[in-house]
Amino acid sequence: MTSNTILMDQSAINRSLSRIAHEILERNKGTDHLAFIGIRSRGIPLAYRLAQKIFQIEGQEIPVGELDITSYRDDLGEYAAHAEFPANKLPFDVTGKKIILVDDVLFTGRTIRAALDAIIDHGRPKNIQLAVLVDRGHRELPIKADFVGKSIPTSHLEGIHVCLTETDKIDEVVLIRAENSKQ
């Protein structure tokens, strides 16, 4: 049995993304050489939303790329050698760019490690910064987000599910608790 709690609604997600956009501009002193790369699947719409917010603030378009890290994962084993993975869509050269890597939830850090490997395979950026909507803790690797919408400490029995209108027809962040059946 599980129970769900909505932690962020559409307004809270929008406010978090607005704040993150302002923080990105402040830290990078504007938009020069900025580019967003969203991690499939929900990092991609978040990257496009952040780029749109920056356009509304600065009037500058920021390029957005799409990254599928499946082939870079360290938990695929034999499967990776024979599987076909979706192509990455990076409509710009990453070399010399300030890359803002975007994902929905930061958990163990393994997805981000795989994304870093994938980006480096495409060139040498000036730097890579990480923006996440939710940081839920439990890192297995020394990875920390530069920009966080909301920190939500969780137990290992809990999960975080981000729903976005582009993929789920609703904007919300849900905490999923596995109910202990032995009471």
Side-chain angles (χ1 to χ4, degrees):
M1 194 128 173
T2 61
S3 68
N4 299 341
T5 304
I6 296 174
L7 300 175
M8 296 175 78
D9 61 9
Q10 182 178 20
S11 295
I13 290 171
N14 189 49
R15 282 190 304 273
S16 290
L17 293 175
S18 293
R19 182 177 37 77
I20 289 170
H22 283 282
E23 289 174 2
I24 288 169
L25 289 169
E26 185 174 326
R27 180 168 301 169
N28 291 283
K29 297 176 177 51
T31 61
D32 286 347
H33 307 291
L34 273 184
F36 287 101
I37 297 179
I39 299 174
R40 193 171 316 274
S41 62
R42 287 172 183 82
I44 293 170
L46 290 172
Y48 281 104
R49 289 186 192 190
L50 285 168
Q52 179 61 35
K53 292 211 176 275
I54 287 179
F55 180 77
Q56 291 168 350
I57 297 164
E58 294 286 313
Q60 297 290 319
E61 289 193 22
I62 306 299
V64 178
E66 301 178 8
L67 193 63
D68 185 291
I69 54 91
T70 309
S71 63
Y72 290 87
R73 294 186 59 93
D74 61 6
D75 58 357
L76 292 181
E78 274 296 305
Y79 173 75
H82 306 292
E84 288 188 29
F85 302 105
N88 294 317
K89 295 179 187 171
L90 297 177
F92 51 86
D93 183 2
V94 301
T95 302
K97 293 266 195 278
K98 298 176 191 174
I99 301 295
I100 309 297
L101 183 61
V102 182
D103 203 8
D104 58 346
V105 178
L106 177 56
F107 183 35
T108 63
R110 294 193 175 279
T111 296
I112 304 308
R113 186 222 38 93
L116 294 171
D117 288 346
I119 292 169
I120 298 302
D121 278 355
H122 285 88
R124 184 176 176 161
K126 180 174 182 173
N127 62 48
I128 301 173
Q129 300 163 53
L130 177 59
V132 297
L133 184 60
V134 175
D135 182 348
R136 63 170 288 197
H138 303 285
R139 224 66 85 239
E140 295 175 5
L141 300 171
I143 291 175
K144 182 177 185 288
D146 299 283
F147 311 101
V148 177
K150 187 171 183 97
S151 292
I152 303 172
T154 61
S155 78
H156 283 287
L157 298 176
E158 296 172 318
I160 296 286
H161 184 66
V162 173
C163 300
L164 300 174
T165 54
E166 296 89 341
T167 54
D168 309 290
K169 301 190 178 20
I170 188 170
D171 276 357
E172 63 184 16
V173 175
V174 180
L175 175 68
I176 302 166
R177 289 185 186 93
E179 297 294 325
N180 188 349
S181 58
K182 298 178 185 178
Q183 302 216 9

